[in-house]
């Protein structure tokens, strides 16, 4: 699904709207220290459960940062990439529906929009329940993410989803046993910890009991 | 515990060993796109359970990136900070014992060293069990983190922990009910999702049953 035909690397432009790196200086116990970090957008993620189908709804997409992380762990620095040696598919992740907070709207409203844009379910904001707030990337970015839970039905399905503009996002439905396997040792979906945490939260708090 | 007396911000030096920002270019479905990202170190994290005390062992520390994230969400850009308005304590996190992979050693060995350096328990590498591997920061860094589980006893305690060199790390013991509260809505510990996920994994897979 990723259909990526060429990959190359350049320096970060000074005017990047997405990644703003800094060095923060501080004095701790009388001693000057510093820490390199970057400002990234805060974000929302949504655990989406289709009760009609009893399926969790996730998204697959090509993630440049993951591809870059895998490649540089293996090769160190690079310029242009040999895609036969490192196929773009290694950078595809399986994640919760999510999005950055870059609009003057409530976070729950942004979550509602992401559910529609990425996964095609049109729900009211009242149906989106806040689960947890945490800081991701405590070592490098410290951005805030709020996780939500939303139950949907087939009747809420308004579009096929897939993202807006140039986004290429595949909607993936997982049965509960499939999702259980994702949170066991050896799962290889390049999933972020927030996704794994969301699935664990679902099984601990919302999943229909095994006997249902 | 943080004892921070001054905080200010500067540009990221080009030779930062910790944060290396890039713009990755790629062609997807015939269209050129780009993504801003950074290379950060891969890392390990350890769920540490003291069976003598039936306590989970975590660490508290001042995290510059979290402090910066909270401050810029509230204020936008800044130079020097008014610490009376934004006390450094808002940047203190409660996390699993963890560390970056920056040595030519096995990941489990690095985990073993972090358990000793940060928390003071001296265990053999055979006692450190791999739990899960995932990609953190899929939007910006894509670094790999491996999570481990290790049971310790009071007899393994060799030092007070607290980190090496200039690190200021407080070892925190949590009872199981206290840890349960951390993974419920409204917890305010600035904890990263990997920590919350690790606690959920512990309660689902290793915690003594409630009746024990």
């Amino acid at each position: 699904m990723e259909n990526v035909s060429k990959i190359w690397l350049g320096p970060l432009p000074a005017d990047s709207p997405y990644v703003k790196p800094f060095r923060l200086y501080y004095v701790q116990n009388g001693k000057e220290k510093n820490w390199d970090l970057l400002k990234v957008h805060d974000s929302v993620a949504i655990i989406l459960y289709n009760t009609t189908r009893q399926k969790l709804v996730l998204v697959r997409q090509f993630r440049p940062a993951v591809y870059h992380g895998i490649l540089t762990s293996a090769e160190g620095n690079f310029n242009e990439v040999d895609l036969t040696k490192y196929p773009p598919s290694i950078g595809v992740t399986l994640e919760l529906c999510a999005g950055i907070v870059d609009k003057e709207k409530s976070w729950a409203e942004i979550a509602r929009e992401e559910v529609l844009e990425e996964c095609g379910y049109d729900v009211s904001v009242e149906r989106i329940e806040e689960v947890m707030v945490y800081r991701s990337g405590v070592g490098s970015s410290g951005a805030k993410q709020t996780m939500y839970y939303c139950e949907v039905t087939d009747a809420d399905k308004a579009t096929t989803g897939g993202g807006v503009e140039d986004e290429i996002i595949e909607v993936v439905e997982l049965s509960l046993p499939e999702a259980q396997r994702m949170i066991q040792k050896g799962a290889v979906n390049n999933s972020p910890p927030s996704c794994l945490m969301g699935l664990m939260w679902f099984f601990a708090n919302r999943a229909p009991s095994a006997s249902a």
Side-chain angles (χ1 to χ4, degrees), chain A:
Chain A
M1 51 80 71
E2 62 278 5
N3 195 20
V4 171
S5 52
K6 187 180 173 190
I7 297 177
W8 67 106
L9 201 63
L12 182 76
D15 62 349
S16 167
Y18 297 105
V19 167
K20 298 177 193 299
F22 297 99
R23 174 165 286 185
L24 187 131
Y25 299 84
Y26 58 110
V27 176
Q28 188 172 31
N29 277 357
K31 178 163 182 169
E32 184 180 318
K33 302 180 177 183
N34 64 68
W35 194 276
D36 295 337
L37 55 84
L38 73 164
K39 177 66 182 171
V40 300
H41 280 100
D42 293 336
S43 61
V44 297
I46 308 99
I47 307 161
L48 208 53
Y49 181 55
N50 181 319
T51 57
T52 311
R53 299 162 177 267
Q54 302 218 332
K55 295 277 180 80
L56 284 153
V57 182
L58 280 76
V59 294
R60 286 181 82 239
Q61 60 193 310
F62 174 69
R63 283 292 207 173
V66 170
Y67 183 85
H68 178 267
I70 294 172
L71 192 58
T72 51
S73 291
E75 294 275 319
N77 297 329
F78 69 93
N79 292 308
E80 193 171 335
V81 185
D82 177 355
L83 295 186
T84 56
K85 189 169 177 191
Y86 294 103
S89 59
I90 62 174
V92 172
T93 63
L94 186 55
E95 303 175 42
L96 297 179
C97 171
I100 60 173
V101 174
D102 61 350
K103 304 169 202 134
E104 291 294 324
K105 295 180 176 175
S106 78
W107 289 44
E109 176 62 29
I110 291 172
R112 195 196 75 79
E113 291 180 359
E114 293 293 342
V115 168
L116 179 58
E117 292 169 4
E118 292 195 345
C119 300
Y121 292 95
D122 192 3
V123 299
S124 66
V125 74
E126 290 73 26
R127 288 169 58 187
I128 297 185
E129 170 193 355
E130 183 179 311
V131 168
M132 214 174 288
V133 179
Y134 45 88
R135 294 271 156 190
S136 49
V138 293
S140 57
S141 77
K144 181 173 161 180
Q145 184 169 75
T146 301
M147 182 165 288
Y148 296 92
Y149 175 65
C150 181
E151 292 187 352
V152 296
T153 69
D154 278 356
D156 299 316
K157 189 88 176 173
T159 72
T160 54
V164 292
E165 295 171 14
D166 291 337
E167 288 185 319
I168 298 179
I169 292 173
E170 181 190 350
V171 182
V172 175
E173 294 185 348
L174 291 182
S175 69
L176 301 193
E178 286 170 332
Q180 281 277 16
R181 281 196 289 276
M182 269 188 69
I183 51 176
Q184 278 157 18
K185 183 179 167 182
V188 284
N189 300 299
N190 286 341
S191 295
S194 57
C195 172
L196 302 173
M197 184 191 88
L199 295 181
M200 289 185 190
W201 178 89
F202 173 78
F203 284 110
N205 295 283
R206 291 291 186 278
S209 67
S211 60

